[in-house]
C-alpha cells in the first residue's frame, strides 16, 4: 500500500513539469512598462516570470531559430502588423479561451486565435493650436489637400505604425485612392520624415509644421513633460471609417512548454484586475471594454474607432510598403 502511494506520487512528480510555476516571456514592449505588471502577477500567483526583452524583429527571429527548444512561452509585442508577422512565421499557437474572447473585442484579436490585443493605442492627427483650428481637420485623406502644402509632418514610412495605417487605408479605400492620398502627403511635407513620433510632435509644437500623425501615448508623454506646448489632438475620420487604432498584444508560442500558465497569464492581463495596470502606465486604452481608461487619457475625449480587424494591417503590410515607396514616401 505504502509502496503504491509512493510510486504514485513519484509518478505524479515526474508527470508534473518542474517548470509549471515558471513562465518565460519574450517581449518587445518596453521593460519599464511591463515590469510592474509582471511583478504584480508574480505576487498574486507565485509564478516566476522571466522577461526577455528585445526588438520585435530580432525576438521573432530568435523564437524561430530556437525552434522546439525555445524557452519562450509567451510573446508580447506592439502592433497587429508585428503579431501578424509572428503568425506567418509559425511562431504562435491558437488558444481557445472563452475568457480572452469575452474580455477582448473581436476586431482587436486574431480571427484564428493566435494572438490577443491587450491595450489599444490610436494613431490620429495632431496640430499646432496656434496655427490650426480643429474645424479645418477631418480625415487622414484630407491631409493630402493642397491647403496643407508645406505644413504636414510625418514619421518615416519604414515604421510599422505607418505601414499599418496605410495598410488599413488600402483595405478601407482601395489602393488607387490610397496612393493618391500618400502622394498628396508627400507633396505637402514641411520637412523630411522624422525618425520617431516624439520628434515629429515636438516639431509641430515648435511650429515647424502645423499638422501630423502620431500615436496617442507619445502625445500623452510629451504633454506630461511640457504641458504648455501648443499641441492639440484631433480624432481622424469621425465622419467615415473611424480613427485608426492598433494594439499591444500577445500570443502563446508554438513550442511553449507551459501552455496552461501562458494562457492563465494572458487571461489575467485581459481582466479588469490587470487592464489598468497594463494600459495606464503607457497612457493607452484598456482593450477590455468594461475597463475605463486613466483620467488623463479619457480627457482626450471619446472617439469612434475603426472596426476593421487589426490583423488586416499585417495582411496589407507588404502592399502598403510598396505603395508608400511608389508614392515617394521615405
Ligand atoms: Fe511606440
Amino acid at each position: 500500500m505504502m509502496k503504491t502511494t509512493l510510486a504514485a506520487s513519484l509518478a505524479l512528480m515526474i508527470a508534473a513539469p518542474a517548470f509549471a510555476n515558471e513562465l518565460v516571456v519574450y517581449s518587445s514592449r518596453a521593460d519599464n512598462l511591463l515590469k510592474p505588471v509582471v511583478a504584480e502577477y508574480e505576487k498574486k500567483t507565485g509564478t516566476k516570470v522571466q522577461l526577455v526583452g528585445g526588438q520585435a524583429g530580432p525576438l521573432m527571429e530568435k523564437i524561430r531559430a530556437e525552434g522546439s527548444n525555445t524557452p519562450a512561452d509567451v510573446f508580447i509585442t506592439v502592433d497587429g502588423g508585428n503579431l501578424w508577422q509572428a503568425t506567418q512565421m509559425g511562431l504562435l499557437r491558437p488558444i481557445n479561451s472563452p475568457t480572452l474572447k469575452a474580455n477582448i473585442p473581436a476586431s482587436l484579436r486574431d480571427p484564428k486565435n493566435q494572438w490577443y490585443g491587450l491595450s489599444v493605442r490610436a494613431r490620429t492627427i495632431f496640430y499646432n493650436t496656434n496655427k490650426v483650428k480643429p474645424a479645418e481637420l477631418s480625415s487622414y485623406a484630407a491631409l493630402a489637400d493642397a491647403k496643407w502644402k508645406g505644413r504636414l509632418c510625418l514619421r518615416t514610412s519604414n515604421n510599422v505604425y505607418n505601414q499599418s495605417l496605410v495598410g488599413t487605408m488600402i483595405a478601407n479605400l482601395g489602393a488607387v485612392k490610397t496612393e493618391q492620398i500618400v502622394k498628396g502627403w508627400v507633396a505637402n511635407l514641411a520637412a523630411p520624415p522624422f525618425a520617431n513620433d516624439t520628434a515629429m510632435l515636438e516639431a509641430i509644437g515648435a511650429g515647424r509644421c502645423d499638422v501630423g500623425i502620431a500615436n496617442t501615448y507619445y502625445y500623452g508623454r510629451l504633454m506630461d513633460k511640457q504641458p504648455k506646448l501648443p499641441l492639440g489632438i484631433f480624432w481622424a475620420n469621425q465622419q467615415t471609417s473611424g480613427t485608426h487604432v492598433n494594439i499591444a498584444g500577445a500570443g502563446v508560442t508554438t513550442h511553449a512548454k507551459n501552455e496552461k500558465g501562458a494562457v492563465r497569464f494572458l487571461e489575467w492581463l485581459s481582466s479588469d484586475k490587470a487592464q489598468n495596470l497594463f494600459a495606464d502606465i503607457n497612457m493607452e486604452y484598456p482593450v477590455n471594454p468594461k475597463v475605463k481608461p486613466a483620467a488623463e487619457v479619457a480627457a482626450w475625449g471619446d472617439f469612434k474607432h475603426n472596426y476593421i480587424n487589426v490583423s488586416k494591417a499585417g495582411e496589407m503590410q507588404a502592399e502598403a510598403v510598396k505603395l508608400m515607396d511608389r508614392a515617394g514616401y521615405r
Side-chain angles (χ1 to χ4, degrees):
M1 189 67 181
M2 184 69 182
K3 259 186 192 159
T4 338
T5 313
L6 188 64
S9 45
L10 266 176
L12 259 179
M13 280 167 70
I14 291 158
F19 39 74
N21 236 7
E22 283 173 23
L23 202 60
V24 180
V25 177
Y26 283 14
S27 169
S28 80
R29 186 170 170 86
D31 253 20
N32 62 320
L33 301 181
L34 210 49
K35 270 186 178 153
V37 190
V38 162
E40 180 69 13
Y41 187 70
E42 289 184 315
K43 203 175 82 187
K44 282 249 152 71
T45 62
T47 305
K48 177 87 199 75
V49 178
Q50 197 198 327
L51 263 182
V52 178
Q55 291 196 313
L59 273 184
M60 289 192 271
E61 277 307 329
K62 183 172 160 71
I63 299 172
R64 170 149 75 183
E66 287 167 347
S68 58
N69 292 323
T70 187
D73 297 301
V74 172
F75 175 55
I76 299 181
T77 189
V78 295
D79 206 283
N82 284 332
L83 286 158
W84 179 85
Q85 199 69 50
T87 65
Q88 294 309 106
M89 291 166 72
L91 306 182
L92 303 176
R93 68 169 79 178
I95 294 300
N96 279 303
S97 155
T99 304
L100 287 172
K101 285 181 186 158
N103 286 347
I104 303 167
S107 67
L108 304 173
R109 52 181 157 85
D110 178 28
K112 291 179 185 144
N113 303 318
Q114 293 181 88
W115 50 259
Y116 290 86
L118 295 171
S119 61
V120 180
R121 62 275 299 281
R123 191 159 187 79
T124 194
I125 298 173
F126 295 89
Y127 63 97
N128 184 302
T129 52
N130 294 330
K131 297 175 152 196
V132 177
K133 296 208 165 29
E136 297 177 80
L137 298 164
S138 60
S139 63
Y140 307 106
L143 295 180
D145 291 350
K147 77 170 270 194
W148 298 109
K149 195 159 192 73
R151 303 171 70 189
L152 174 69
C153 281
L154 294 172
R155 182 178 183 161
T156 48
S157 64
N158 65 7
N159 168 258
V160 72
Y161 302 153
N162 284 332
Q163 292 167 7
S164 289
L165 171 66
V166 171
T168 308
M169 286 170 67
I170 297 172
N172 278 329
L173 304 168
V176 174
K177 184 93 209 291
T178 304
E179 189 165 338
Q180 282 169 2
I181 295 165
V182 175
K183 277 185 179 150
W185 288 352
V186 173
N188 287 343
L189 288 180
F194 289 78
N196 59 65
D197 281 18
T198 302
M200 193 216 62
L201 287 170
E202 282 170 344
I204 300 174
R208 193 169 162 209
C209 7
D210 296 354
V211 282
I213 298 170
N215 282 0
T216 40
Y217 54 92
Y218 292 113
Y219 171 68
R221 285 181 203 169
L222 191 57
M223 294 309 276
D224 252 11
K225 274 192 248 159
Q226 301 177 61
K228 294 214 167 93
L229 268 187
L231 200 55
I233 182 168
F234 181 84
W235 297 117
N237 291 34
Q238 293 304 285
Q239 311 308 322
T240 54
S241 53
T243 303
H244 173 74
V245 291
N246 216 307
I247 51 159
V252 179
T253 62
T254 303
H255 298 289
K257 311 296 182 292
N258 186 4
E259 183 192 62
K260 237 175 132 179
V263 172
R264 196 162 75 124
F265 180 55
L266 296 195
E267 288 177 344
W268 179 78
L269 288 173
S270 74
S271 73
D272 48 359
K273 290 168 209 76
Q275 273 285 283
N276 283 118
L277 210 55
F278 190 87
D280 295 4
I281 190 169
N282 193 34
M283 285 185 258
E284 289 177 276
Y285 297 87
V287 75
N288 184 330
K290 294 187 290 276
V291 183
K292 290 199 166 47
E296 55 185 338
V297 171
W300 301 335
D302 288 331
F303 65 101
K304 175 177 98 174
H305 75 70
N306 196 333
Y307 283 96
I308 196 164
N309 191 286
V310 178
S311 65
K312 201 73 189 165
E315 282 171 45
M316 307 305 287
Q317 201 174 69
E319 196 177 341
V321 170
K322 276 189 232 148
L323 185 152
M324 290 190 283
D325 188 55
R326 282 199 306 272
Y329 179 11
R330 301 290 174 248

